[in-house]
Amino acid sequence: MSPLALSLGDPAGIGPEIICKAWRALRSEGPAFVVVGDFQALASASGSGMHMVRRVTTPKQASEVFSDALPVLDIPLRSPVVAGQPSSAAAPAIIRWIETGVGLALSGAVSGLVTAPIAKAPLYEAGFQFPGHTEFLGELTATVSYPGARGPIMMLAVEGLRTTLVTVHEPLSKVGGLLSVDKIVNAGLVTAQALRNDFGIDAPRLAVAGFNPHAGEDGSIGREDIEIIAPAVAALRELGVDAKGPTPADSLFHEAARAKFDAVVCMYHDQALIPVKMLDFWGGVNLTLGLPIVRTSPDHGTAFDIAGRGLARADSLIAAIRMAHQIAERRAA
């Protein structure tokens, strides 16, 4: 199988450091990956200078050298960066690294894309128009045919729990107005499809979280659960998806409840991310479902406050690399 592509993310964050640590952990047994990014940024973060990092021109070369050196498709920054000091000057390179990784995945030159963390504020300063990676990847792959329900839908996954989101990076005050039957149905269809195709679950079971406390308590604490979520669950069941809900979110995530479903469709960001991070803060994986490419990411940000200090843990990135490889193998089979 061809290697994965790994976009460098914000070079002022912990991306370069955790990429080097992930390579050290995986260099012997794989899966192999090639970094799309700035060679010098990785050489500086490696602690071994240029001896550990090697420029390559093709993903095939990356597979050949992976056990000996960290392979990089070098797309240089226009100016050096300082760890912990994000700058909009790096934005054009960050965007190009993502675009290149997507192009390699769409062409089949790599088996999937893993993305190191980006920071939104510096990108917005440079004119970036998307809320984050997920939406940008959806735009970059929008014209490519894909069978079944279409994303992008964000999933967070750890051992024992998978959650997907109907809304993502939205102010909580706006979420109720953004929910719709169509959005929830699509999220459920994409989730069930991914559980079958990417995780090998033949008959996926979905729990659909309520929006209000106690799932609205028959409308006395909000009408969204009655008027939007319940009809969406009914529609999913009519479409052949084993979905139950709306279920009060405060009773969904304990061990006995988790045994009854394969994923939870959540209405907003923290509803999905808090339980995942409580179960495994270091090892969570962010996936983008419903795309013609495999895409995973660590479930954390750029951590500018510790960048360049050698403190960052690579657990989540390593888990993301391994999960992308496993999904790519399932899709290939």
Side-chain angles (χ1 to χ4, degrees):
M1 178 171 285
S2 55
L4 299 161
L6 202 170
S7 59
L8 182 59
D10 194 310
I14 61 172
E17 178 184 339
I18 61 175
I19 288 171
C20 292
K21 289 178 176 178
W23 172 77
R24 289 190 181 100
L26 298 172
R27 60 181 296 188
S28 297
E29 77 275 11
F33 59 86
V34 57
V35 182
V36 182
D38 180 80
F39 174 87
Q40 190 58 54
L42 285 159
S44 298
S46 70
S48 304
M50 295 184 182
H51 301 293
M52 182 182 123
V53 186
R54 189 174 303 175
R55 290 183 178 91
V56 296
T57 57
T58 67
K60 184 176 184 296
Q61 288 179 340
S63 295
E64 294 167 353
V65 307
F66 187 77
S67 62
D68 298 318
L70 174 60
V72 183
L73 288 171
D74 187 24
I75 303 176
L77 290 158
R78 294 177 182 174
S79 57
V81 298
V82 178
Q85 299 181 25
S87 170
S88 59
I94 295 170
I95 293 168
R96 188 179 173 200
W97 298 335
I98 299 168
E99 291 172 338
T100 301
V102 170
L104 290 169
L106 288 173
S107 72
V110 298
S111 56
L113 174 64
V114 182
T115 59
I118 59 174
K120 299 172 184 63
L123 295 178
Y124 294 160
E125 291 174 12
F128 189 66
Q129 299 294 316
F130 300 90
H133 262 129
T134 300
E135 297 82 1
F136 188 36
L137 294 170
E139 178 68 19
L140 291 174
T141 59
T143 61
V144 181
S145 61
Y146 180 73
R150 187 67 182 247
I153 295 294
M154 181 186 288
M155 171 182 277
L156 283 300
V158 294
E159 183 68 30
L161 179 63
R162 305 177 191 91
T163 61
T164 56
L165 291 83
V166 177
T167 68
V168 186
H169 296 114
E170 302 291 349
L172 193 56
S173 61
K174 295 184 178 180
V175 170
L178 294 171
L179 296 177
S180 70
V181 172
D182 287 346
K183 286 181 181 178
I184 296 168
V185 168
N186 187 64
L189 290 173
V190 171
T191 302
Q193 174 179 276
L195 291 171
R196 287 191 297 269
N197 298 341
D198 296 341
F199 291 91
I201 299 171
D202 292 334
R205 304 162 299 164
L206 301 185
V208 181
F211 175 63
N212 294 294
H214 307 172
E217 203 160 299
D218 296 324
S220 63
I221 316 177
R223 303 285 304 174
E224 291 88 352
D225 297 273
I226 289 176
E227 296 176 357
I228 302 173
I229 301 176
V233 172
L236 284 168
R237 294 180 68 83
E238 289 178 5
L239 291 168
V241 177
D242 182 357
K244 294 180 174 62
T247 302
D250 64 356
S251 61
L252 268 175
F253 300 108
H254 61 89
E255 185 175 4
R258 296 198 310 271
K260 299 177 182 178
F261 53 77
D262 300 299
V264 184
V265 179
C266 297
M267 298 302 113
Y268 56 91
H269 184 277
D270 285 9
Q271 190 179 63
L273 271 68
I274 288 174
V276 167
K277 293 190 176 186
M278 285 291 292
L279 279 178
D280 186 355
F281 183 77
W282 300 110
V285 178
N286 177 355
L287 305 90
T288 306
L289 310 182
L291 297 184
I293 65 171
V294 176
R295 183 266 175 154
T296 66
S297 176
D299 74 341
H300 58 71
T302 50
F304 292 124
D305 58 324
I306 62 168
R309 297 169 58 191
L311 302 175
R313 292 178 55 158
D315 307 51
S316 184
L317 178 60
I318 292 168
I321 293 167
R322 286 173 170 157
M323 188 171 289
H325 178 70
Q326 291 164 0
I327 292 173
E329 285 189 322
R330 287 193 185 97
R331 291 194 184 186

